[in-house]
Amino acid sequence: MVDPTAKEDLSSTWDSSLCDDVQALFKEMKSESCSHKGMLVWNLQRKVEVNPSCSLSIISILVQKLEKTLTTVSKLHEKKTYMSVNPVLHTLYYVVIQSGVTIPKGLYHKAYECLGKLLILPSPYSTVALHTLRSIKMEMTAPGSLYLKRVIAEQNIKSEHFAAREKVFVLADPAVFSVSLEATVKAYLEVSRRLTNTRTMEKSVLFRVLETGLGTTCQSSRLAQALEVLEDHDVRQYFQDVVETVKQSLQHGPGSRADYLKGLKQIYKHILAASEKDVLHDEQGPVYSTTVPLPEMNFLMWTDEEMLWNLLTDFALPSGSNSIKDDKERISRDSGIVKDLKDSDEAEQLPYTAQKTLRERRNALKNSKSAEKLSLMEEKMKEDVTGNLLLLKEERSHTARVVVLGDDSTLGKLTKAYYIIRKKEAKRNMLTKKLDLQLYYIPVSDTEASPSSPDESRLSLASCLERVDPWYSVNVSSLGAAIPTLPELPSVSRKPTELSLYLLDTLCYYLRCGTQPVNLPVYSVKMTLSNSDLASVEELFVSHLEADIPDFRHLKDRQQREPSVRQKKSSVELFGVVLSVNYTKATLSKRDVKGEASMTWRVVITSEPAASASGESYLAARFDSLNPAYNTKIETRNISIRTMEQRTLCVCLDKDPHRIYTNVQKIEISPCLDPGCTIRCRYSIGSEQELPLSKYLDKVMSLPINSFSGVSM
């Protein structure tokens, strides 16, 4: 006979251990190393997978922590008192979706009431709380629905009731990834492909939803046996029945829970009856995993800026019809018939009759509706007003999750690719109306950061994201720091290892919970060249621009070798005024300033996003001189720098050795305008007017990188 007191002691010990794990996870988040914190998160997730019943204790502990946070916030009203709210919310959501057991309604109601009170917090905390609250409400109405919808989307299972499709593209920068590191990471990520197949997924969904919904009335072992002996077409039919039941319940709201459970019970009985003859009751049924399976990861080395565009079009515009094929060709060739015309400004140089014919041919070719042209602006407006795109995303059937692995120069490459996409979509909207593009960033560098020399750091934007979102630092930055040290594992092709599962699980956690974007401002730079066939070059950068005067490099090198040697008068006279500078102050006055830079040999301009700066985004420009007395720092959003006395600049963008421009006489930097906001409506040939609401729209382009918290403005 089992002593019930011993059971209670064991349960109490288990709860105490889980409580300690949760407390260690969130206590003094910044004091412990990121790698250690990342492993704590992963270990907690693994405990839920190995023992799903522990999820009840974890949810209870997390709700108690949120209630304690609410009490503290109501007393102190300080931001630091609710900094840990989002990590707790993400952990709560992940435990709920990964748990394979029935969660009592009382515990759900307690969590629901607590989440409702959190809506008083400022954004982004209230935004994440609302997302978690909606998820909890969905589970209260239709237990297992979160799991079902996630699996259908990530595994691309065909369903007439839920059309969502998701695909994950992991793009690694060859400049950072060695051949051995590429092979290792690719082998790790490809484990996900061998762990899944459609029929297994459908059986797992059936088992998870029926077991979660019916609770103790579901004979799990018998259900597993029944599913194992069913024919594939029967499994498919029952799967569709469950999906339809979930959809109807979600459409009818919380009051339909009883009908939902009744529908599940009927499906459960039909499955047992259909397999009654083939089931051996004295045998143990197969074990079905109730955790969310890994999505398929498509790992690619990012060798071409057009690669991202091609991947997205292949995913969102499958070649199922000739019309779609034609559309893809027109997009890639920039409007077929008029492919030799690069910009609409060139058309203005043609005679009026030629312009008219050209416009008619363009309209005949594109034949796009005005509503389609407004999609980009609609997206921008909803982003500006609400801070998220929940309403717009619901209308899109495809979601592309693009994960970029690299450093600042990699984000510069992503910025250019994103700009190209926006520009093409502004001409002919094909992707935006169907595809929801989500961008993720894992900072990976082949060099160690030097705290004493911030200019040498190639992960400056990662540092910005870490300051905004400590949970990003704990999970994503720790993963990025671990990737370069991954050993080569020949055995990974035969059996998943602990390291490979850590990589996959942490990446999936980021993909599923990192839903709040941090908008990094993008700047355009126009470079006037000398001794070149091109009068000027227009480029973009997102983090860093460095311009130095090659004529003075040897003097700087000499000073670094002999710092004690006093400067000669001839050196001082050699410099004099070398740069003319015009800029607008990044203050409320926004005063225009004209000045001159003496003895300057280098200018370093870095982006300071609003996420890490107070107020609006701005550029921090530092003018370095051989004489420290002449060093200058300014803050601006627009700046123009011109060389004096026929000297030239060497300009490097986003610390990318492949984006270096020489013989530059002048650089003009300003916030980049979003191509999606330059759409105009035509009332007649030859006359164009801006759309009525465009003047109220923030037309500055930004690069949205997903984090766990987003930006608190």
Side-chain angles (χ1 to χ4, degrees), residues 531-581:
N531 302 326
S532 173
D533 295 335
L534 298 174
S536 64
V537 174
E538 294 189 11
E539 262 279 14
L540 304 173
F541 74 94
V542 68
S543 66
H544 187 274
L545 180 147
E546 183 173 334
D548 69 333
I549 301 176
D551 295 343
F552 299 153
R553 287 175 184 169
H554 68 286
L555 296 175
K556 181 62 179 177
D557 294 339
R558 184 190 304 173
Q559 186 195 50
Q560 291 175 342
R561 290 194 305 268
E562 305 172 2
S564 61
V565 177
R566 299 180 64 182
Q567 290 179 331
K568 295 183 180 180
K569 184 177 180 180
S570 59
S571 298
V572 178
E573 292 176 347
L574 173 65
F575 272 79
V577 177
V578 294
L579 298 176
S580 173
V581 183

Short mmCIF file of all heavy atoms in Angstrom, two decimals, residues 531-581:
data_model
loop_
_atom_site.label_atom_id
_atom_site.label_comp_id
_atom_site.label_asym_id
_atom_site.label_seq_id
_atom_site.Cartn_x
_atom_site.Cartn_y
_atom_site.Cartn_z
N ASN A 531 36.90 61.66 -60.27
CA ASN A 531 37.64 60.71 -61.09
C ASN A 531 36.85 59.41 -61.30
O ASN A 531 37.36 58.31 -61.15
CB ASN A 531 39.00 60.39 -60.47
CG ASN A 531 39.85 61.62 -60.29
OD1 ASN A 531 39.80 62.55 -61.09
ND2 ASN A 531 40.63 61.65 -59.22
N SER A 532 35.57 59.56 -61.60
CA SER A 532 34.73 58.39 -61.81
C SER A 532 33.72 58.68 -62.90
O SER A 532 33.34 59.83 -63.13
CB SER A 532 34.01 58.02 -60.51
OG SER A 532 33.09 56.98 -60.75
N ASP A 533 33.29 57.61 -63.59
CA ASP A 533 32.26 57.76 -64.61
C ASP A 533 30.92 58.13 -63.99
O ASP A 533 30.07 58.75 -64.63
CB ASP A 533 32.11 56.46 -65.41
CG ASP A 533 33.37 56.12 -66.19
OD1 ASP A 533 34.13 57.07 -66.50
OD2 ASP A 533 33.60 54.94 -66.48
N LEU A 534 30.71 57.76 -62.72
CA LEU A 534 29.48 58.09 -62.03
C LEU A 534 29.64 59.38 -61.26
O LEU A 534 30.61 59.57 -60.53
CB LEU A 534 29.10 56.96 -61.06
CG LEU A 534 28.81 55.59 -61.68
CD1 LEU A 534 28.59 54.56 -60.59
CD2 LEU A 534 27.59 55.66 -62.59
N ALA A 535 28.70 60.28 -61.45
CA ALA A 535 28.77 61.56 -60.74
C ALA A 535 28.52 61.35 -59.25
O ALA A 535 29.13 62.02 -58.40
CB ALA A 535 27.77 62.55 -61.31
N SER A 536 27.61 60.42 -58.90
CA SER A 536 27.29 60.17 -57.50
C SER A 536 26.78 58.74 -57.34
O SER A 536 26.35 58.11 -58.30
CB SER A 536 26.24 61.17 -57.00
OG SER A 536 25.02 61.00 -57.70
N VAL A 537 26.82 58.29 -56.11
CA VAL A 537 26.34 56.96 -55.76
C VAL A 537 25.43 57.10 -54.55
O VAL A 537 25.77 57.80 -53.59
CB VAL A 537 27.51 56.00 -55.43
CG1 VAL A 537 26.97 54.66 -54.92
CG2 VAL A 537 28.39 55.80 -56.65
N GLU A 538 24.28 56.43 -54.58
CA GLU A 538 23.37 56.44 -53.45
C GLU A 538 23.37 55.08 -52.79
O GLU A 538 23.24 54.05 -53.45
CB GLU A 538 21.95 56.83 -53.89
CG GLU A 538 21.86 58.27 -54.39
CD GLU A 538 20.42 58.70 -54.62
OE1 GLU A 538 19.52 57.96 -54.19
OE2 GLU A 538 20.22 59.78 -55.21
N GLU A 539 23.54 55.07 -51.48
CA GLU A 539 23.65 53.84 -50.71
C GLU A 539 22.81 53.95 -49.43
O GLU A 539 22.22 54.99 -49.14
CB GLU A 539 25.11 53.56 -50.35
CG GLU A 539 25.78 52.57 -51.28
CD GLU A 539 25.44 51.13 -50.92
OE1 GLU A 539 24.49 50.92 -50.12
OE2 GLU A 539 26.10 50.22 -51.45
N LEU A 540 22.77 52.84 -48.67
CA LEU A 540 22.06 52.79 -47.40
C LEU A 540 23.00 52.29 -46.32
O LEU A 540 23.95 51.55 -46.59
CB LEU A 540 20.86 51.84 -47.49
CG LEU A 540 19.82 52.06 -48.58
CD1 LEU A 540 18.84 50.89 -48.57
CD2 LEU A 540 19.07 53.35 -48.35
N PHE A 541 22.72 52.68 -45.09
CA PHE A 541 23.38 52.03 -43.96
C PHE A 541 22.44 52.06 -42.77
O PHE A 541 21.55 52.91 -42.68
CB PHE A 541 24.73 52.68 -43.64
CG PHE A 541 24.65 54.02 -42.96
CD1 PHE A 541 24.69 54.14 -41.58
CD2 PHE A 541 24.56 55.19 -43.72
CE1 PHE A 541 24.63 55.38 -40.97
CE2 PHE A 541 24.50 56.44 -43.11
CZ PHE A 541 24.53 56.53 -41.72
N VAL A 542 22.65 51.12 -41.85
CA VAL A 542 21.75 50.99 -40.71
C VAL A 542 22.46 51.15 -39.37
O VAL A 542 21.83 51.43 -38.36
CB VAL A 542 21.01 49.63 -40.76
CG1 VAL A 542 21.97 48.48 -40.52
CG2 VAL A 542 19.85 49.58 -39.78
N SER A 543 23.77 50.99 -39.35
CA SER A 543 24.45 51.05 -38.06
C SER A 543 25.65 51.98 -38.04
O SER A 543 25.87 52.67 -37.05
CB SER A 543 24.91 49.64 -37.64
OG SER A 543 25.89 49.15 -38.52
N HIS A 544 26.42 52.04 -39.13
CA HIS A 544 27.74 52.64 -39.01
C HIS A 544 28.22 53.16 -40.37
O HIS A 544 28.06 52.50 -41.39
CB HIS A 544 28.72 51.57 -38.48
CG HIS A 544 30.07 52.06 -38.14
ND1 HIS A 544 31.08 52.16 -39.06
CD2 HIS A 544 30.61 52.46 -36.95
CE1 HIS A 544 32.17 52.60 -38.46
NE2 HIS A 544 31.92 52.79 -37.18
N LEU A 545 28.78 54.35 -40.36
CA LEU A 545 29.48 54.89 -41.53
C LEU A 545 30.79 55.47 -41.05
O LEU A 545 30.82 56.26 -40.09
CB LEU A 545 28.64 55.95 -42.24
CG LEU A 545 29.27 56.60 -43.49
CD1 LEU A 545 28.18 56.97 -44.51
CD2 LEU A 545 30.08 57.85 -43.16
N GLU A 546 31.87 55.09 -41.71
CA GLU A 546 33.19 55.60 -41.37
C GLU A 546 33.85 56.18 -42.61
O GLU A 546 33.89 55.53 -43.66
CB GLU A 546 34.06 54.50 -40.77
CG GLU A 546 35.43 54.99 -40.33
CD GLU A 546 36.22 53.92 -39.59
OE1 GLU A 546 35.58 53.02 -39.00
OE2 GLU A 546 37.46 54.00 -39.60
N ALA A 547 34.32 57.41 -42.49
CA ALA A 547 34.98 58.09 -43.61
C ALA A 547 36.32 58.64 -43.11
O ALA A 547 36.36 59.37 -42.12
CB ALA A 547 34.10 59.22 -44.14
N ASP A 548 37.39 58.26 -43.80
CA ASP A 548 38.69 58.80 -43.42
C ASP A 548 39.38 59.40 -44.65
O ASP A 548 38.99 59.15 -45.80
CB ASP A 548 39.57 57.74 -42.78
CG ASP A 548 40.02 56.68 -43.77
OD1 ASP A 548 39.29 56.46 -44.75
OD2 ASP A 548 41.08 56.08 -43.58
N ILE A 549 40.39 60.23 -44.39
CA ILE A 549 41.16 60.88 -45.46
C ILE A 549 42.43 60.07 -45.67
O ILE A 549 43.33 60.07 -44.81
CB ILE A 549 41.48 62.33 -45.09
CG1 ILE A 549 40.18 63.11 -44.84
CG2 ILE A 549 42.29 63.00 -46.19
CD1 ILE A 549 40.38 64.53 -44.39
N PRO A 550 42.54 59.36 -46.78
CA PRO A 550 43.71 58.50 -46.99
C PRO A 550 45.04 59.24 -46.91
O PRO A 550 46.04 58.65 -46.48
CB PRO A 550 43.46 57.93 -48.41
CG PRO A 550 41.99 58.01 -48.61
CD PRO A 550 41.56 59.24 -47.88
N ASP A 551 45.05 60.53 -47.30
CA ASP A 551 46.31 61.29 -47.28
C ASP A 551 46.90 61.41 -45.89
O ASP A 551 48.11 61.64 -45.73
CB ASP A 551 46.09 62.69 -47.86
CG ASP A 551 45.71 62.64 -49.33
OD1 ASP A 551 45.93 61.59 -49.95
OD2 ASP A 551 45.18 63.64 -49.84
N PHE A 552 46.06 61.25 -44.85
CA PHE A 552 46.53 61.49 -43.49
C PHE A 552 46.70 60.21 -42.69
O PHE A 552 46.99 60.27 -41.49
CB PHE A 552 45.54 62.40 -42.76
CG PHE A 552 45.38 63.75 -43.40
CD1 PHE A 552 44.20 64.46 -43.25
CD2 PHE A 552 46.39 64.31 -44.17
CE1 PHE A 552 44.04 65.69 -43.83
CE2 PHE A 552 46.23 65.55 -44.76
CZ PHE A 552 45.06 66.25 -44.61
N ARG A 553 46.53 59.07 -43.32
CA ARG A 553 46.64 57.82 -42.58
C ARG A 553 48.04 57.61 -42.02
O ARG A 553 48.21 57.14 -40.90
CB ARG A 553 46.26 56.63 -43.47
CG ARG A 553 44.77 56.52 -43.75
CD ARG A 553 44.49 55.40 -44.73
NE ARG A 553 43.07 55.33 -45.08
CZ ARG A 553 42.60 54.59 -46.07
NH1 ARG A 553 43.43 53.85 -46.81
NH2 ARG A 553 41.30 54.58 -46.32
N HIS A 554 49.05 57.97 -42.81
CA HIS A 554 50.42 57.73 -42.35
C HIS A 554 50.75 58.58 -41.13
O HIS A 554 51.51 58.17 -40.26
CB HIS A 554 51.41 58.03 -43.49
CG HIS A 554 51.48 59.48 -43.87
ND1 HIS A 554 50.49 60.10 -44.58
CD2 HIS A 554 52.43 60.42 -43.61
CE1 HIS A 554 50.82 61.38 -44.77
NE2 HIS A 554 52.00 61.59 -44.19
N LEU A 555 50.15 59.78 -41.03
CA LEU A 555 50.38 60.62 -39.86
C LEU A 555 49.73 60.01 -38.62
O LEU A 555 50.30 60.05 -37.52
CB LEU A 555 49.83 62.02 -40.11
CG LEU A 555 50.51 62.81 -41.24
CD1 LEU A 555 49.78 64.12 -41.45
CD2 LEU A 555 51.97 63.05 -40.92
N LYS A 556 48.54 59.43 -38.80
CA LYS A 556 47.88 58.79 -37.68
C LYS A 556 48.66 57.56 -37.23
O LYS A 556 48.84 57.32 -36.03
CB LYS A 556 46.45 58.42 -38.07
CG LYS A 556 45.66 57.74 -36.94
CD LYS A 556 45.50 58.65 -35.75
CE LYS A 556 44.71 57.99 -34.64
NZ LYS A 556 44.61 58.85 -33.45
N ASP A 557 49.16 56.79 -38.19
CA ASP A 557 49.94 55.61 -37.85
C ASP A 557 51.21 55.99 -37.10
O ASP A 557 51.61 55.33 -36.15
CB ASP A 557 50.29 54.82 -39.11
CG ASP A 557 49.06 54.23 -39.78
OD1 ASP A 557 48.03 54.09 -39.09
OD2 ASP A 557 49.12 53.93 -40.98
N ARG A 558 51.83 57.09 -37.53
CA ARG A 558 53.06 57.53 -36.87
C ARG A 558 52.78 57.96 -35.44
O ARG A 558 53.54 57.66 -34.52
CB ARG A 558 53.69 58.68 -37.65
CG ARG A 558 55.03 59.14 -37.06
CD ARG A 558 55.48 60.43 -37.70
NE ARG A 558 55.56 60.29 -39.16
CZ ARG A 558 55.79 61.33 -39.97
NH1 ARG A 558 55.94 62.56 -39.46
NH2 ARG A 558 55.86 61.15 -41.27
N GLN A 559 51.66 58.64 -35.23
CA GLN A 559 51.32 59.08 -33.88
C GLN A 559 51.04 57.89 -32.97
O GLN A 559 51.39 57.91 -31.79
CB GLN A 559 50.11 60.01 -33.92
CG GLN A 559 49.78 60.63 -32.56
CD GLN A 559 48.40 61.24 -32.53
OE1 GLN A 559 47.45 60.58 -32.91
NE2 GLN A 559 48.30 62.46 -32.06
N GLN A 560 50.40 56.86 -33.52
CA GLN A 560 50.12 55.68 -32.71
C GLN A 560 51.40 54.93 -32.36
O GLN A 560 51.51 54.35 -31.28
CB GLN A 560 49.15 54.76 -33.47
CG GLN A 560 47.75 55.34 -33.61
CD GLN A 560 46.85 54.46 -34.45
OE1 GLN A 560 47.32 53.60 -35.20
NE2 GLN A 560 45.55 54.68 -34.34
N ARG A 561 52.40 54.97 -33.27
CA ARG A 561 53.67 54.31 -32.97
C ARG A 561 54.51 55.12 -32.00
O ARG A 561 55.22 54.57 -31.16
CB ARG A 561 54.46 54.08 -34.27
CG ARG A 561 53.86 53.03 -35.19
CD ARG A 561 54.87 52.65 -36.26
NE ARG A 561 55.34 53.80 -37.01
CZ ARG A 561 54.79 54.24 -38.14
NH1 ARG A 561 53.73 53.61 -38.63
NH2 ARG A 561 55.29 55.29 -38.78
N GLU A 562 54.44 56.47 -32.12
CA GLU A 562 55.26 57.35 -31.28
C GLU A 562 54.38 58.39 -30.59
O GLU A 562 54.40 59.57 -30.91
CB GLU A 562 56.31 58.06 -32.15
CG GLU A 562 57.18 57.10 -32.95
CD GLU A 562 58.06 57.84 -33.93
OE1 GLU A 562 58.01 59.08 -33.96
OE2 GLU A 562 58.81 57.18 -34.67
N PRO A 563 53.59 57.95 -29.61
CA PRO A 563 52.65 58.88 -28.97
C PRO A 563 53.33 59.98 -28.17
O PRO A 563 52.74 61.02 -27.92
CB PRO A 563 51.83 57.97 -28.06
CG PRO A 563 52.71 56.79 -27.81
CD PRO A 563 53.51 56.60 -29.06
N SER A 564 54.58 59.75 -27.78
CA SER A 564 55.26 60.75 -26.95
C SER A 564 55.90 61.86 -27.77
O SER A 564 56.32 62.88 -27.22
CB SER A 564 56.33 60.06 -26.09
OG SER A 564 57.30 59.44 -26.91
N VAL A 565 56.01 61.64 -29.06
CA VAL A 565 56.64 62.65 -29.92
C VAL A 565 55.69 63.82 -30.11
O VAL A 565 54.53 63.64 -30.49
CB VAL A 565 57.03 62.05 -31.28
CG1 VAL A 565 57.63 63.13 -32.17
CG2 VAL A 565 58.01 60.91 -31.07
N ARG A 566 56.17 65.01 -29.86
CA ARG A 566 55.33 66.20 -30.00
C ARG A 566 55.11 66.51 -31.48
O ARG A 566 55.99 66.32 -32.32
CB ARG A 566 55.99 67.40 -29.33
CG ARG A 566 56.21 67.18 -27.83
CD ARG A 566 56.87 68.37 -27.20
NE ARG A 566 56.02 69.54 -27.28
CZ ARG A 566 56.38 70.74 -26.84
NH1 ARG A 566 57.58 70.92 -26.31
NH2 ARG A 566 55.55 71.76 -26.94
N GLN A 567 53.92 66.98 -31.78
CA GLN A 567 53.58 67.30 -33.17
C GLN A 567 54.41 68.48 -33.66
O GLN A 567 54.61 69.46 -32.94
CB GLN A 567 52.10 67.65 -33.28
CG GLN A 567 51.19 66.46 -33.07
CD GLN A 567 49.74 66.88 -33.18
OE1 GLN A 567 49.40 68.01 -32.89
NE2 GLN A 567 48.91 65.96 -33.60
N LYS A 568 54.87 68.36 -34.87
CA LYS A 568 55.63 69.45 -35.48
C LYS A 568 54.67 70.49 -36.04
O LYS A 568 53.54 70.19 -36.40
CB LYS A 568 56.51 68.90 -36.59
CG LYS A 568 57.60 67.96 -36.08
CD LYS A 568 58.49 67.50 -37.23
CE LYS A 568 59.59 66.56 -36.73
NZ LYS A 568 60.47 66.11 -37.83
N LYS A 569 55.15 71.70 -36.12
CA LYS A 569 54.32 72.79 -36.62
C LYS A 569 53.88 72.55 -38.05
O LYS A 569 52.77 72.87 -38.44
CB LYS A 569 55.10 74.11 -36.52
CG LYS A 569 54.27 75.31 -36.93
CD LYS A 569 55.07 76.58 -36.75
CE LYS A 569 54.25 77.80 -37.16
NZ LYS A 569 55.01 79.04 -37.00
N SER A 570 54.78 71.91 -38.83
CA SER A 570 54.43 71.66 -40.23
C SER A 570 53.23 70.72 -40.34
O SER A 570 52.41 70.85 -41.23
CB SER A 570 55.63 71.05 -40.97
OG SER A 570 56.03 69.84 -40.33
N SER A 571 53.14 69.75 -39.39
CA SER A 571 52.00 68.83 -39.41
C SER A 571 50.71 69.56 -39.14
O SER A 571 49.69 69.31 -39.78
CB SER A 571 52.21 67.72 -38.37
OG SER A 571 53.36 66.97 -38.67
N VAL A 572 50.75 70.50 -38.19
CA VAL A 572 49.56 71.26 -37.86
C VAL A 572 49.13 72.11 -39.04
O VAL A 572 47.96 72.20 -39.40
CB VAL A 572 49.81 72.13 -36.62
CG1 VAL A 572 48.58 72.96 -36.31
CG2 VAL A 572 50.17 71.26 -35.43
N GLU A 573 50.10 72.75 -39.67
CA GLU A 573 49.78 73.60 -40.81
C GLU A 573 49.30 72.78 -42.00
O GLU A 573 48.49 73.25 -42.80
CB GLU A 573 51.02 74.41 -41.20
CG GLU A 573 51.42 75.44 -40.15
CD GLU A 573 52.69 76.17 -40.52
OE1 GLU A 573 53.40 75.73 -41.44
OE2 GLU A 573 52.98 77.18 -39.88
N LEU A 574 49.82 71.53 -42.10
CA LEU A 574 49.41 70.68 -43.21
C LEU A 574 47.91 70.41 -43.18
O LEU A 574 47.25 70.41 -44.20
CB LEU A 574 50.19 69.35 -43.15
CG LEU A 574 49.78 68.26 -44.15
CD1 LEU A 574 50.08 68.73 -45.57
CD2 LEU A 574 50.49 66.96 -43.86
N PHE A 575 47.39 70.23 -41.97
CA PHE A 575 45.97 69.94 -41.84
C PHE A 575 45.12 71.17 -42.10
O PHE A 575 44.45 71.27 -43.10
CB PHE A 575 45.69 69.38 -40.44
CG PHE A 575 45.85 67.89 -40.36
CD1 PHE A 575 47.10 67.32 -40.26
CD2 PHE A 575 44.75 67.08 -40.41
CE1 PHE A 575 47.25 65.96 -40.20
CE2 PHE A 575 44.89 65.72 -40.34
CZ PHE A 575 46.14 65.14 -40.24
N GLY A 576 45.13 72.08 -41.18
CA GLY A 576 44.25 73.23 -41.30
C GLY A 576 42.81 72.79 -41.33
O GLY A 576 42.41 71.85 -40.65
N VAL A 577 41.99 73.48 -42.10
CA VAL A 577 40.58 73.11 -42.28
C VAL A 577 40.48 72.13 -43.43
O VAL A 577 40.80 72.46 -44.57
CB VAL A 577 39.72 74.35 -42.54
CG1 VAL A 577 38.28 73.94 -42.81
CG2 VAL A 577 39.79 75.32 -41.37
N VAL A 578 40.03 70.90 -43.13
CA VAL A 578 39.98 69.87 -44.17
C VAL A 578 38.55 69.49 -44.55
O VAL A 578 38.33 68.91 -45.61
CB VAL A 578 40.74 68.61 -43.72
CG1 VAL A 578 42.22 68.91 -43.58
CG2 VAL A 578 40.17 68.08 -42.41
N LEU A 579 37.58 69.81 -43.70
CA LEU A 579 36.20 69.42 -43.97
C LEU A 579 35.25 70.57 -43.71
O LEU A 579 35.44 71.33 -42.76
CB LEU A 579 35.77 68.23 -43.09
CG LEU A 579 36.52 66.91 -43.26
CD1 LEU A 579 36.01 65.90 -42.24
CD2 LEU A 579 36.36 66.35 -44.67
N SER A 580 34.25 70.68 -44.58
CA SER A 580 33.16 71.63 -44.37
C SER A 580 31.91 70.82 -44.00
O SER A 580 31.56 69.86 -44.69
CB SER A 580 32.91 72.44 -45.64
OG SER A 580 31.76 73.23 -45.51
N VAL A 581 31.24 71.23 -42.92
CA VAL A 581 30.15 70.42 -42.36
C VAL A 581 28.89 71.26 -42.23
O VAL A 581 28.93 72.38 -41.69
CB VAL A 581 30.54 69.85 -40.98
CG1 VAL A 581 29.42 68.97 -40.45
CG2 VAL A 581 31.84 69.06 -41.07
#
